[in-house]
C-alpha cells in the first residue's frame, strides 16, 4: 500500500518565511486536497471498490496544479459557488479515468479539515525548529556574558546587581516553555479521517454494503497513508474547533514571551547598555540623524500583540459551532489560522536576527553600576565597621547622613554620586578604608548568577535541544550564517 504524504523539504530557518508562506499558499492547499483524494482512492481500492489502476495512476501523475488548472478551478468556483467541487471537477479534467471516483463517499470537510490538520502540524514543526535556533543563539549570548555584572531593575528602579547572561536566561527559560508547549500541541494533533457528512460515516457504510469493519479499516488506512498516528474517534462534519484553540494558545503564549524580550531590549537600548543590530547605512530618523531606534524589537512587539489576540478568534469560533457545524467558522479560520502561523514565524525570525547581532556596551554598564553601587554597598560598609569593633547603630547613622548628602548631589544638583568619597574623608571609617575597593567590587554583588547560567544551560537548555530535528535545524542555520 503506497500512500502520498504531504511533506515540505526543511530549509534553514533563515528562509522560514518562504517555507511558511508556501505551506499556507493556494498551490499547496489544492495540492494537498489532491493528495487526500488520491489516498482515499488507494484505500477504497484496497478494500475492494472497483477503482481502475489507471484512475490511481492519473491521480498520482497530476497532483500539482499548473496555471491553466488554476484558471479552470476559478471559473468553476464562480459558476458552482463551491470551492471543493470546483477542484473535484478540475482534477477530473487532468485525470479523466478518475473523474467518476474522485471524492467518492466524502464530504467537503474530508479535504478542507484534514488539510488544515496537516498544515497545523507542519506549521508547528517549522516554528519548533525556528524556536530551537533562537534558543541556541540566546544561549550562546548568555554563556558569553554569564559573569558581566549589570544593574538589576525591579519596577524599573535600580535594584541588586545581576549579570547580562543571567538576565538572558530569564528570556530563554520562557522560550523553553514555549518550545515544550509547541511540541505538545503538535504531537497531540490527530486526523479527522474519513467520517462523512455529519461524522456518522453513513455514505461509506453504503459504499461497502453495510460492512462496518471495512469502514473502520478505511478510516485507519487513510489516516496512515496521510502520515498520522491516529484519527479523532468521533467528529461532526468538521474536526472540533477546540483543536484550533489548543494550537493557537501556545502561539499566543509565544507572542507574550517575544513581547517581553523585545520590550527589555528596547529599554536597554534607551539605557545604551545593549542594542540590537544597526546597519552602517541604516537611518533611525528622517529628522534626527543621530538616532538608533530599536526598530526590529519594536516590530516584534507590534506583531506579538497581533499574535496574542488571534487566539480569541479560535475561542469564539469554537464556542458558536452549533450541533454538527455551522459555516460561520470558515471565513474566520481562513484568515486567523494562516495569520497566526505567519506572524509567529516572522516574530521568531526577527528575534533570531536580533539575537545574532546584539551589541553590549560594558563601559556604559559599568558606569551605571558605579552610580548606584555606593548606595547598595552601605550595608557591606556597616558590617565591615562592626567587624572592626564598631557600633552598628552608630555606623548606620553615619552612613544614613552621608547617603542623604550624596543623594542631594545626584538628584538636586545633577552631579555624580560621591558617597564613597565622603566615606573616605570621614575619620570614623578609617579602620576599613583599605577594604573599600573590595567592598565596592561589582562581582561581589552578583551572587551565584554566573553559576546559575552554567547550570541552567547544562541541565535545561542542552537536554531540551538534544533532539535530532532540533539539532539539524540549529546546524543548518549555523551553516547558512557562515556562508553569508
Amino acid at each position: 500500500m503506497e500512500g502520498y504524504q504531504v511533506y515540505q523539504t526543511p530549509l534553514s530557518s533563515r528562509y522560514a518565511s518562504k517555507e511558511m508562506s508556501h505551506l499556507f499558499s493556494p498551490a499547496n492547499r489544492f495540492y494537498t486536497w489532491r493528495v487526500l483524494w488520491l489516498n482515499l482512492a488507494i484505500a477504497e481500492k484496497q478494500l475492494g471498490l472497483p477503482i481502475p489502476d489507471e484512475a490511481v495512476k492519473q491521480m498520482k501523475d497530476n497532483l500539482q496544479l499548473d496555471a491553466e488548472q488554476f484558471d479552470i478551478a476559478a471559473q468553476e468556483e464562480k459558476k458552482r459557488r463551491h470551492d471543493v467541487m470546483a477542484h473535484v471537477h478540475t482534477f477530473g479534467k487532468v485525470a479523466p479515468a478518475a473523474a467518476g471516483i474522485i471524492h467518492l463517499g466524502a464530504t467537503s470537510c474530508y479535504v478542507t479539515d484534514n488539510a488544515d490538520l496537516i498544515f497545523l502540524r507542519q506549521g508547528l514543526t517549522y516554528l519548533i525548529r525556528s524556536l530551537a535556533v533562537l534558543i541556541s543563539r540566546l544561549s550562546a549570548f548568555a554563556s558569553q556574558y554569564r559573569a558581566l555584572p549589570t544593574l538589576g531593575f525591579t519596577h524599573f528602579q535600580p535594584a541588586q546587581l545581576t549579570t547580562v547572561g543571567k538576565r538572558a536566561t530569564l528570556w530563554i527559560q520562557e522560550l523553553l516553555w514555549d518550545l515544550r508547549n509547541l511540541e505538545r500541541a503538535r504531537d497531540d494533533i490527530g486526523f479527522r479521517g474519513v467520517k462523512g457528512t455529519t461524522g456518522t460515516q453513513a455514505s461509506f457504510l453504503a459504499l461497502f454494503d453495510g460492512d462496518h469493519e471495512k469502514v473502520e479499516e478505511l478510516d485507519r488506512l487513510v489516516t496512515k497513508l496521510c502520515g498520522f498516528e491516529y484519527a479523532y474517534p468521533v467528529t461532526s462534519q468538521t474536526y472540533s474547533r477546540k483543536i484550533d484553540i489548543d494550537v493557537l494558545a501556545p502561539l499566543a503564549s509565544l507572542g507574550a514571551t517575544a513581547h517581553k524580550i523585545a520590550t527589555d531590549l528596547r529599554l536597554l537600548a534607551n539605557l545604551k547598555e545593549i542594542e540590537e543590530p544597526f546597519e552602517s547605512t541604516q537611518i533611525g530618523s528622517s529628522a534626527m540623524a543621530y538616532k538608533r531606534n530599536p526598530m526590529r524589537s519594536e516590530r516584534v512587539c507590534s506583531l506579538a500583540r497581533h499574535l496574542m489576540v488571534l487566539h480569541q478568534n479560535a475561542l469564539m469560533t469554537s464556542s458558536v459551532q452549533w450541533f454538527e457545524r455551522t459555516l460561520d467558522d470558515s471565513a474566520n479560520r481562513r484568515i486567523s489560522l494562516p495569520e497566526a502561523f505567519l506572524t509567529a514565524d516572522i516574530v521568531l525570525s526577527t528575534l533570531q536576527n536580533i539575537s545574532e547581532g546584539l551589541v553590549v556596551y560594558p563601559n556604559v554598564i559599568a558606569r551605571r553600576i558605579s552610580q548606584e553601587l555606593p548606595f547598595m554597598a552601605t550595608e557591606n560598609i556597616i558590617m565591615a565597621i562592626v567587624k572592626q569593633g564598631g557600633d552598628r547603630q552608630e555606623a548606620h547613622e553615619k552612613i544614613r547622613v552621608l547617603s542623604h548628602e550624596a543623594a542631594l548631589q545626584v538628584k538636586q544638583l545633577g552631579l555624580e554620586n560621591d558617597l564613597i568619597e565622603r566615606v573616605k574623608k570621614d575619620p570614623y571609617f578609617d579602620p576599613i578604608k583599605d577594604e573599600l575597593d573590595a567592598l565596592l567590587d561589582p562581582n561581589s554583588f552578583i551572587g551565584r548568577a554566573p553559576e546559575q547560567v552554567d547550570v541552567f544551560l547544562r541541565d535545561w537548555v542542552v537536554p531540551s535541544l538534544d533532539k535530532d530535528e532540533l539539532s539539524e535545524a540549529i546546524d543548518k542555520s549555523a551553516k547558512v550564517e557562515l556562508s553569508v
Side-chain angles (χ1 to χ4, degrees):
M1 178 179 63
E2 180 186 3
Y4 278 68
Q5 297 181 22
V6 179
Y7 179 72
Q8 308 302 317
T9 303
L11 301 174
S12 163
S13 63
R14 178 173 290 275
Y15 302 103
S17 293
K18 295 179 182 178
E19 196 174 53
M20 193 70 80
S21 295
H22 174 69
L23 180 64
F24 289 99
S25 68
N28 189 54
R29 176 171 295 278
F30 302 136
Y31 160 78
T32 304
W33 288 5
R34 291 187 173 187
V35 169
L36 287 161
W37 282 320
L38 170 61
N39 286 339
L40 178 61
I42 291 172
E44 289 176 335
K45 177 179 175 62
Q46 180 174 326
L47 291 172
L49 293 187
I51 296 175
D53 291 340
E54 182 62 21
V56 174
K57 181 182 183 302
Q58 289 183 9
M59 293 173 79
K60 286 181 179 179
D61 292 342
N62 290 280
L63 293 175
Q64 300 286 355
L65 287 77
D66 57 23
E68 181 181 356
Q69 291 177 61
F70 269 104
D71 289 341
I72 293 172
Q75 293 168 13
E76 288 296 322
E77 184 173 354
K78 186 176 181 180
K79 180 170 61 177
R80 302 169 188 267
R81 307 300 295 175
H82 197 289
D83 55 352
V84 173
M85 291 309 299
H87 279 272
V88 168
H89 175 82
T90 304
F91 198 12
K93 287 282 189 180
V94 294
I101 58 92
I102 294 171
H103 200 67
L104 183 60
T107 185
S108 297
C109 288
Y110 166 71
V111 288
T112 58
D113 273 37
N114 281 322
D116 282 344
L117 291 165
I118 290 169
F119 302 152
L120 295 181
R121 190 175 67 167
Q122 189 63 47
L124 286 169
T125 294
Y126 292 152
L127 294 180
I128 286 166
R129 293 171 182 172
S130 296
L131 182 51
V133 174
L134 173 60
I135 291 171
S136 175
R137 296 292 192 272
L138 286 175
S139 295
F141 177 83
S143 179
Q144 180 179 357
Y145 294 102
R146 58 183 287 280
L148 180 61
T150 189
L151 189 64
F153 291 95
T154 59
H155 317 278
F156 202 30
Q157 300 299 313
Q160 193 176 61
L161 268 58
T162 183
T163 68
V164 171
K166 170 61 191 300
R167 178 176 284 150
T169 63
L170 301 179
W171 303 335
I172 298 167
Q173 180 169 248
E174 294 193 3
L175 291 172
L176 284 180
W177 293 334
D178 292 318
L179 180 64
R180 172 204 63 192
N181 295 341
L182 292 177
E183 288 176 331
R184 285 177 178 173
R186 178 191 63 179
D187 296 344
D188 193 50
I189 291 177
F191 200 55
R192 177 190 176 273
V194 182
K195 297 296 197 295
T197 306
T198 56
T200 66
Q201 298 178 307
S203 57
F204 297 103
L205 192 62
L207 280 176
F208 289 101
D209 299 322
D211 191 330
H212 290 270
E213 289 186 3
K214 282 193 173 181
V215 174
E216 291 180 2
E217 183 63 14
L218 178 69
D219 204 359
R220 285 191 292 269
L221 285 177
V222 175
T223 298
K224 184 177 180 181
L225 286 169
C226 293
F228 282 78
E229 293 297 322
Y230 80 103
Y232 297 117
V234 293
T235 74
S236 60
Q237 187 174 92
T238 68
Y239 71 77
S240 171
R241 298 313 184 212
K242 196 169 181 66
I243 303 303
D244 296 342
I245 296 175
D246 292 345
V247 171
L248 265 59
L251 268 61
S253 184
L254 172 63
T257 302
H259 200 292
K260 187 264 193 292
I261 295 171
T263 300
D264 282 356
L265 291 171
R266 292 166 66 187
L267 294 171
L268 289 167
N270 175 264
L271 297 173
K272 296 179 175 61
E273 293 188 3
I274 297 179
E275 288 182 340
E276 64 180 37
F278 195 91
E279 309 299 336
S280 60
T281 57
Q282 183 175 327
I283 295 174
S285 167
S286 61
M288 296 167 280
Y290 61 88
K291 293 193 76 178
R292 292 170 64 102
N293 298 332
M295 60 91 172
R296 291 172 174 85
S297 297
E298 290 174 320
R299 182 182 304 150
V300 169
C301 287
S302 178
L303 292 171
R305 288 199 299 272
H306 181 58
L307 181 58
M308 286 186 277
V309 301
L310 285 172
H311 185 220
Q312 298 299 314
N313 276 295
L315 289 166
M316 290 186 284
T317 295
S318 177
S319 69
V320 296
Q321 285 299 286
W322 305 346
F323 302 113
E324 279 62 52
R325 77 107 24 124
T326 64
L327 196 61
D328 62 345
D329 65 330
S330 180
N332 185 298
R333 294 174 66 256
R334 292 184 190 213
I335 298 171
S336 61
L337 293 182
E339 275 200 8
F341 279 87
L342 292 166
T343 303
D345 177 72
I346 198 63
V347 163
L348 286 175
S349 63
T350 306
L351 278 176
Q352 180 187 332
N353 174 265
I354 293 170
S355 70
E356 291 171 347
L358 285 172
V359 182
V360 178
Y361 296 104
N363 291 335
V364 176
I365 293 172
R367 183 174 182 271
R368 182 158 285 108
I369 289 174
S370 71
Q371 293 171 335
E372 300 293 340
L373 193 59
F375 293 130
M376 298 179 190
T378 54
E379 184 176 5
N380 288 5
I381 294 173
I382 292 172
M383 292 300 101
I385 281 290
V386 172
K387 287 181 181 179
Q388 294 293 331
D391 180 273
R392 185 194 181 284
Q393 302 308 317
E394 185 178 2
H396 183 278
E397 179 60 20
K398 286 281 189 180
I399 286 291
R400 186 189 70 81
V401 171
L402 295 179
S403 295
H404 282 291
E405 292 174 355
L408 176 67
Q409 298 294 306
V410 174
K411 295 180 179 180
Q412 299 295 330
L413 303 179
L415 302 176
E416 294 296 322
N417 187 339
D418 63 354
L419 174 59
I420 300 306
E421 284 71 24
R422 292 175 184 274
V423 170
K424 289 179 178 179
K425 291 177 182 177
D426 192 321
Y428 177 79
F429 296 99
D430 285 348
I432 64 162
K433 285 180 181 176
D434 291 341
E435 302 177 40
L436 285 176
D437 288 342
L439 292 173
L440 288 166
D441 181 3
N443 289 292
S444 66
F445 289 83
I446 60 176
R448 296 192 62 254
E451 291 74 20
Q452 286 181 338
V453 172
D454 295 340
V455 171
F456 173 70
L457 296 178
R458 183 193 68 209
D459 293 352
W460 293 91
V461 175
V462 171
S464 296
L465 300 183
D466 188 20
K467 301 170 185 174
D468 289 343
E469 71 166 327
L470 304 187
S471 299
E472 180 183 351
I474 293 167
D475 290 344
K476 284 187 176 182
S477 180
K479 290 176 182 177
V480 170
E481 186 67 23
L482 289 173
S483 68
V484 174

